[in-house]
């Protein structure tokens, strides 16, 4: 029998990593993320087989458009209908869409249009799914455990990225894109019964009214006004935006061009990316074990600033081994700043606004920051890797400066 929404989470005060309710949520989230990684492998493989590399690139990019355009509306939906219902519905739609394409591929060969349609569906659903996922932890555990849950979520993301790639490749090797799509659908399906079993906190009456205060447009405007008037959230959004703008370009397209310029090759670039992943995973593990770091605002600010210095120095490292060490430091600092910023968002936003707060944070990270990738590539072609990495580092460092200069953010703390 399904536990009602109003049931309180079990064992209040129990650490999140020992709370079965939190662990069920984390297992569901991780299974869904592994399915996402397998899906992207399957989609890229199927698109390359059905068209040219440039056409495949367009198919892969299709999902970004609805995700960016609809993200703010997705935050309103998450707050109005409750994050668990939205996440379950989102996973059900994604699962059905992926399994439908898998079935079609088993029966016949598909062109690019069905794959583009699948990518469009995924991007549209992601615009609702991502804000709802950000709003869930506050309904699953106590406020004092939200920082630890943020670290656990980071570990889940790292685990999914490590496991999902090989699983997707194995699926393609065994049965082609159809088998990989089928595997992705089954992994996403695993999350649904787990999410149904998760007990949720009910919002107080005042918070429910804030979540459903009128029309969807009024809710959206109200959420934006809430963020703009908040002494911690408003500058934190600016710091996140600047940090991601300076981080995404160099660590994506810039790293590819740097590896080619230095003669590191694909294997060398892979080692550098592995160093980054290990560092980010270590930061998530630290927050999971500690549960809380004091002086959270200071830590986030200095981690952003120090990470920007490491980004700028990466372009001047000649050897692969040294670059791996710098990338590990970047991953550690970026993972720490990202986890602290996420924990501050979780703990300083009212639960009724968390969907909209997460939507704005996701929009600046996934909507605006990727714009730096083509700009970085063009700038590197004109001026070289060194100046562009330094300029990107300066933009990233501004995020740390903002966090240090705004008193309420600088002094922000996580709950004990």
């Amino acid at each position: 029998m399904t536990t009602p929404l109003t049931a309180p989470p079990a064992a209040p005060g129990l650490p999140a990593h020992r709370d079965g309710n939190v662990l069920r949520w984390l297992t569901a989230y991780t299974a869904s993320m592994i399915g996402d990684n397998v899906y992207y492998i399957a989609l890229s493989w199927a698109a390359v087989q059905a068209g040219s590399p440039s056409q495949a690139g367009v198919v892969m990019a299709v999902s970004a458009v609805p995700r960016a355009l609809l993200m703010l509306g997705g935050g309103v939906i998450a707050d109005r209908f409750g994050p668990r219902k939205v996440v379950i519905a989102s996973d059900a739609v994604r699962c059905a869409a992926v399994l439908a394409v898998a079935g079609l591929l088993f029966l016949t060969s598909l062109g690019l249009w069905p794959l583009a349609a699948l990518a469009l569906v995924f991007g549209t659903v992601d615009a609702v799914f991502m804000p709802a996922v950000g709003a869930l932890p506050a309904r699953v555990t106590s406020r004092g455990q939200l920082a630890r849950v943020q670290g656990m979520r980071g570990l889940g993301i790292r685990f999914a990225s490590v496991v999902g790639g090989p699983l997707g490749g194995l699926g393609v090797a065994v049965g082609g894109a159809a088998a990989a799509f089928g595997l992705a659908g089954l992994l996403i399906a695993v999350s649904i019964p787990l999410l149904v079993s998760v007990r949720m906190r009910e919002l107080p009456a005042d918070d429910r009214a804030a979540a459903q205060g009128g029309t969807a447009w009024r809710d959206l405007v109200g959420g934006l006004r809430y963020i703009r008037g908040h002494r911690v959230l408003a500058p934190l959004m600016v710091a996140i935006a600047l940090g991601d703008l300076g981080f995404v370009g160099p660590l994506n397209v810039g790293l590819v061009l740097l590896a080619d310029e230095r003669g590191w090759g694909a294997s060398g670039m892979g080692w550098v990316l592995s160093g980054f992943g290990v560092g980010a995973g270590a930061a998530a593990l630290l927050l999971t074990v500690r549960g809380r770091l004091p002086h959270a605002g200071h830590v986030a600010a200095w981690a952003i600033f120090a990470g920007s210095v490491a980004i700028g120095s990466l372009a001047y490292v000649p050897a692969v081994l040294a670059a791996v060490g710098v990338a590990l430091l970047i991953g550690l600092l970026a993972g720490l700043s990202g986890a602290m910023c996420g924990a501050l968002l979780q703990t300083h936003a009212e639960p009724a606004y968390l969907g909209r707060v997460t939507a704005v944070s996701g929009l600046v990270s996934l909507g605006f920051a990727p714009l730096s990738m083509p700009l970085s590539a063009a700038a590197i072609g004109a001026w070289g890797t060194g100046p562009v990495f330094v300029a990107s580092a300066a933009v990233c460092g501004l995020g740390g400066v903002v966090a240090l200069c705004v008193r309420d953010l600088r002094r922000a703390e996580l709950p004990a």
Side-chain angles (χ1 to χ4, degrees):
M1 187 175 74
T2 303
T3 305
L5 184 65
T6 55
L14 191 68
H17 61 284
R18 295 172 54 195
D19 187 342
N21 197 54
V22 175
L23 293 177
R24 284 193 298 275
W25 165 78
L26 181 65
T27 303
Y29 176 72
T30 304
S32 181
M33 290 299 98
I34 295 173
D36 274 4
N37 280 274
V38 174
Y39 154 77
Y40 283 113
I41 296 289
L43 182 66
S44 60
W45 181 265
V48 168
Q49 296 299 308
S52 65
S54 61
Q55 290 173 326
V58 171
V59 170
M60 295 299 294
V62 162
S63 61
V65 177
R67 185 188 300 129
L69 292 178
L70 303 176
M71 183 77 75
L72 294 180
V76 172
I77 292 173
D79 285 336
R80 287 178 72 90
F81 295 100
R84 183 175 68 167
K85 293 179 182 177
V86 174
V87 171
I88 292 173
S90 300
D91 275 346
V93 171
R94 296 193 304 163
C95 177
V98 172
L99 291 179
V101 170
L104 289 174
L105 281 172
F106 273 118
L107 297 174
T108 183
S109 60
L110 293 180
L112 289 171
W113 286 110
L115 299 175
L118 176 63
L120 189 66
V121 169
F122 248 72
T124 302
V125 175
D126 274 350
V128 181
F129 174 81
M130 296 175 68
V133 165
L136 260 177
R139 310 285 186 93
V140 173
T141 190
S142 63
R143 187 169 178 266
Q145 291 296 316
L146 284 174
R148 175 173 273 123
V149 169
Q150 192 68 20
M152 295 167 66
R153 182 182 174 188
L155 287 177
I157 292 172
R158 294 298 158 195
F159 180 80
S161 64
V162 170
V163 173
L167 274 180
L170 179 63
V172 169
V174 172
F181 275 126
L183 178 60
L186 292 176
L187 285 165
I188 295 173
V190 168
S191 69
I192 297 175
L194 288 169
L195 286 169
V196 170
S197 70
V198 172
R199 293 179 299 274
M200 306 292 288
R201 291 177 180 269
E202 183 61 275
L203 291 178
D206 291 345
D207 284 346
R208 288 200 301 273
Q212 299 178 347
T215 65
W217 177 253
R218 287 180 60 186
D219 285 355
L220 175 58
V221 173
L224 295 176
R225 286 176 177 168
Y226 170 76
I227 295 170
R228 186 183 64 184
H230 201 287
R231 293 183 176 181
V232 173
L233 296 180
L236 184 58
M237 291 296 180
V238 176
I240 291 172
L242 290 170
D244 284 347
L245 277 172
F247 176 82
V248 171
L251 266 296
N252 286 275
V253 63
L255 183 58
V256 176
L257 298 175
L258 180 64
D260 181 66
E261 180 183 293
R262 294 285 191 272
W264 297 340
S267 62
M269 185 182 71
W271 280 108
V272 174
L273 289 173
S274 296
F276 169 77
V278 170
L285 181 61
L286 172 65
L287 195 56
T288 300
V289 173
R290 290 291 302 273
R292 176 185 182 272
L293 295 179
H295 312 297
H298 273 102
V299 171
W302 284 111
I304 294 173
F305 190 80
S308 69
V309 175
I311 289 173
S313 67
L314 184 61
Y316 298 95
V317 176
V320 173
L321 186 60
V324 172
V326 174
L328 192 149
L329 179 61
I330 294 172
L332 180 64
L333 293 168
L336 183 60
S337 63
M340 298 304 288
C341 288
L344 287 170
L345 286 177
Q346 288 282 322
T347 54
H348 283 76
E350 294 295 329
Y353 289 98
L354 260 175
R356 284 163 283 182
V357 169
T358 305
V360 173
S361 174
L363 183 62
V364 300
S365 296
L366 300 174
F368 299 151
L371 296 177
S372 65
M373 289 192 285
L375 293 176
S376 295
I380 289 173
W383 297 297
T385 54
V388 174
F389 267 68
V390 170
S392 297
V395 173
C396 182
L398 283 176
V401 172
V402 168
L404 287 172
C405 290
V406 178
R407 176 185 174 185
D408 291 291
L409 176 54
R410 182 178 69 250
R411 295 185 175 182
E413 292 281 2
L414 298 178

